[in-house]
Amino acid sequence: MAATERGDAGRVDYLDGLRGVAALAVLIGHSWLMFSQPISSYHVTDGVAALPAVLLKIIGHVSNSNSAVCIFFLLSDYVMADFGQGTLLSFPAQMVRRYIRLAIPILMTSSFAYLLLRFGLFRNAEAGRLFGEWAGQWYQFAPSGPSMVYEALVGTFSSGSNAYNPNLWTMHPELLGSFYVLLINAVAASRRWRMTLYACLIAYYLFDYLPLFAVGALLREYEIEVRQLDRFPGAPITLCIIGLYLCTFPDATLGPKLQIVYPLPEFNLDNARNWHSIGATLLLIGVLTSRAAQRPLASSPAKMLGRISFTLYLIHVPILCSLGSWLIVALAPYGYTPAAAFGLFVTFFTCLVLSTLLSPLVDGSAVSMSRKLGRRVDELMADDKVPFERLSSQYPPPVAP
């Protein structure tokens, strides 16, 4: 596939594939924490001593879900910038469309988590006592339908509320970043002005996730120039390798680092986030300019992951904390390794299968409704102008004396 070839509805196949691989990395990272927290935190126990400790540490680094989130943010507003410049919708209609696109899948998957909690199907507290505290920190409250609906439709966007789904913390920066990028494209007609406004956005939120949205939009603005890097042999793939390396940097909460792989000072969460942001940016630039990287990402399995990526991202934690926790509790008498291995295998593929089955409903309905409501907003705005226009035609303006 050529570098600029787009699939259905203007989508870029290999960028969909990259999004899918990032969603898979989040699933792997959270599954690793769920079933193997002693490994992922680098406190290797006797129960896993038969496995090479170094390999386990590297796997824990590679499945870095925070880096995958940085990739999501970059890709999100790479697409938003493209949409903002190409759409005929007004800015209010664009924002309604974006909100609906996010809110409907969140409401559906939060309702799923609510039902699991309502009927006592979460056993993550017990699993947490057996396999580590990560699993046990979620869903320790009484369910409330109104509070779940409020969180899904308002709270997660306004304050990052995420009681019914820990992954919802990303929705506050997601909607805010989309707002900024769509607004900038609505008010700034020239690329120079847009670049200036993006630079202001980066400077204002320098040590946060929001600069990633501006960077993603800038990569779309300067896509032609960025692609010129392929004239330098080896440069694109080198950027991919460096980006991947930076994306695997751990943070201090994960304990001692593997110094052979990371001969660097201690990381804290904010510092690790900065490295992840840089790494994700370099990786995206490399993918945009490297045909070698684009080919596997445009493959059928990668594109399939891209199609289910949002549903997979939203639904996997409730599945881990219900089915995964039940497997841990049920298999714990047989020992740590069998419980972790079998539980990880079954839950991992259950997440993939359910995401594939539910994605047309969860994601497809959101896309369809967001498009309809976006158009409807502009139709209503146009209708509001009709009475005034008719009144003006009946009563022409007075002639100046």
Side-chain angles (χ1 to χ4, degrees):
M1 173 176 290
T4 57
E5 186 175 346
R6 281 169 159 76
D8 295 339
R11 298 171 70 99
V12 182
D13 286 339
Y14 60 82
L15 294 183
D16 270 355
L18 178 59
R19 184 183 293 106
V21 170
L24 187 66
V26 175
L27 172 60
I28 293 172
H30 287 163
S31 299
W32 201 246
L33 286 169
M34 181 76 183
F35 293 99
S36 311
Q37 189 165 19
I39 304 171
S40 59
S41 58
Y42 315 120
H43 304 300
V44 182
T45 63
D46 291 338
V48 293
L51 297 175
V54 172
L55 176 61
L56 293 173
K57 292 178 180 182
I58 292 174
I59 292 174
H61 284 304
V62 170
S63 57
N64 191 318
S65 57
N66 188 65
S67 295
V69 167
C70 292
I71 293 172
F72 290 149
F73 288 161
L74 284 168
L75 288 174
S76 174
D77 279 75
Y78 178 95
V79 174
M80 283 296 100
D82 193 31
F83 171 72
Q85 293 178 31
T87 185
L88 297 177
L89 293 175
S90 67
F91 173 70
Q94 292 175 43
M95 281 307 302
V96 167
R97 176 169 167 170
R98 186 59 178 158
Y99 169 77
I100 295 297
R101 174 69 180 86
L102 298 173
I104 289 179
I106 290 171
L107 180 60
M108 288 184 177
T109 52
S110 294
S111 299
F112 173 64
Y114 165 79
L115 292 173
L116 291 174
L117 184 59
R118 176 69 178 81
F119 291 102
L121 298 178
F122 286 124
R123 302 191 68 181
N124 52 299
E126 299 172 72
R129 289 192 290 269
L130 292 170
F131 271 29
E133 67 274 10
W134 187 86
Q137 62 185 308
W138 316 117
Y139 303 112
Q140 302 303 304
F141 57 90
S144 167
S147 68
M148 179 275 293
V149 173
Y150 178 82
E151 177 178 282
L153 299 181
V154 180
T156 187
F157 298 110
S158 62
S159 61
S161 176
N162 61 347
Y164 287 89
N165 192 332
N167 286 332
L168 293 184
W169 70 268
T170 60
M171 292 302 113
H172 173 66
E174 177 69 46
L175 189 64
L176 186 59
S178 298
F179 169 82
Y180 281 133
V181 170
L182 292 175
L183 179 62
I184 288 171
N185 279 275
V187 301
S190 70
R191 189 165 77 164
R192 178 179 300 178
W193 275 110
R194 290 194 295 270
M195 182 181 67
T196 301
L197 293 173
Y198 287 138
C200 292
L201 177 60
I202 292 171
Y204 187 78
Y205 291 103
L206 186 58
F207 298 106
D208 203 334
Y209 286 104
L210 284 169
L212 289 166
F213 294 93
V215 171
L218 283 169
L219 288 177
R220 179 63 187 92
E221 288 276 359
Y222 291 91
E223 183 176 5
I224 295 176
E225 291 84 352
V226 168
R227 291 187 187 280
Q228 300 305 310
L229 284 172
D230 63 4
R231 295 184 299 178
F232 302 95
I237 200 67
T238 300
L239 288 175
C240 289
I241 293 171
I242 296 173
L244 284 172
Y245 173 75
L246 295 179
C247 282
T248 61
F249 278 14
D251 62 71
T253 61
L254 293 180
K257 259 65 62 189
L258 183 61
Q259 294 299 330
I260 297 174
V261 178
Y262 302 101
L264 295 165
E266 185 80 2
F267 293 98
N268 56 48
L269 181 59
D270 289 339
N271 194 18
R273 178 178 60 199
N274 295 334
W275 286 116
H276 297 161
S277 298
I278 296 170
T281 300
L282 294 179
L283 177 60
L284 179 54
I285 294 173
V287 168
L288 287 171
T289 55
S290 171
R291 292 179 181 271
Q294 291 168 12
R295 280 192 291 270
L297 291 173
S299 65
S300 295
K303 288 190 293 184
M304 183 274 292
L305 285 172
R307 287 193 295 270
I308 68 171
S309 58
F310 195 32
T311 304
L312 179 62
Y313 178 76
L314 292 175
I315 206 172
H316 74 270
V317 172
I319 295 174
L320 285 172
C321 289
S322 54
L323 174 62
S325 296
W326 180 83
L327 288 170
I328 287 175
V329 174
L331 298 175
Y334 298 97
Y336 172 84
T337 302
F342 186 76
L344 178 62
F345 177 83
V346 171
T347 310
F348 182 84
F349 283 100
T350 299
C351 290
L352 291 176
V353 170
L354 283 181
S355 297
T356 302
L357 294 175
L358 294 176
S359 188
L361 172 65
V362 174
D363 214 24
S365 61
V367 171
S368 176
M369 187 172 293
S370 68
R371 290 173 177 171
K372 290 178 181 178
L373 290 179
R375 291 193 298 267
R376 185 58 180 156
V377 168
D378 274 353
E379 289 171 0
L380 291 173
M381 292 174 64
D383 289 343
D384 287 342
K385 297 176 183 178
V386 170
F388 177 78
E389 291 170 354
R390 289 175 179 169
L391 186 65
S392 300
S393 64
Q394 295 174 12
Y395 302 96
V399 178

